[in-house]
C-alpha cells in the first residue's frame, strides 16, 4: 500500500476517534445539562470532524479522476 493512502487512512481513523471520544466524553465545552445549547458543541464538533474526514479523503484528487474499478 502506498504511504499516502496509508497516511489518509490513519488520519481518517484518528479524526473519527477524536470526534467519537469527544461526543462520548462527559467533559464538554458547553455542559449538556443546558437544554439545546449543551448539544450544540457536540453537533459542531461532529460536523467539523465530518468535514475533516471528507477533506482528507479528497485531498490530491483531481475533479476529472475516474473511479478505478480494478481496486474493488
Amino acid at each position: 500500500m502506498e504511504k499516502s493512502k496509508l497516511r489518509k487512512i490513519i488520519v481518517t481513523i484518528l479524526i473519527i476517534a477524536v470526534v467519537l471520544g469527544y461526543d462520548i466524553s462527559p467533559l464538554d465545552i458547553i455542559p449538556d445539562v443546558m437544554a439545546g445549547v449543551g448539544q450544540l458543541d457536540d453537533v459542531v464538533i461532529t460536523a467539523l470532524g465530518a468535514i475533516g474526514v471528507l477533506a482528507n479523503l479528497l485531498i490530491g484528487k483531481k475533479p476529472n479522476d475516474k473511479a478505478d474499478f480494478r481496486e474493488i
Side-chain angles (χ1 to χ4, degrees), residues 9-30:
I9 291 170
I10 291 171
V11 170
T12 300
I13 290 171
L14 286 174
I15 291 171
I16 292 170
V18 167
V19 169
L20 286 176
Y22 182 81
D23 285 343
I24 293 171
S25 172
L27 301 174
D28 283 339
I29 296 171
I30 304 171

Side-chain angles (χ1 to χ4, degrees), residues 25-48:
S25 172
L27 301 174
D28 283 339
I29 296 171
I30 304 171
D32 288 341
V33 294
M34 301 174 76
V37 179
Q39 286 79 23
L40 184 62
D41 65 329
D42 295 331
V43 171
V44 169
I45 296 294
T46 304
L48 290 174

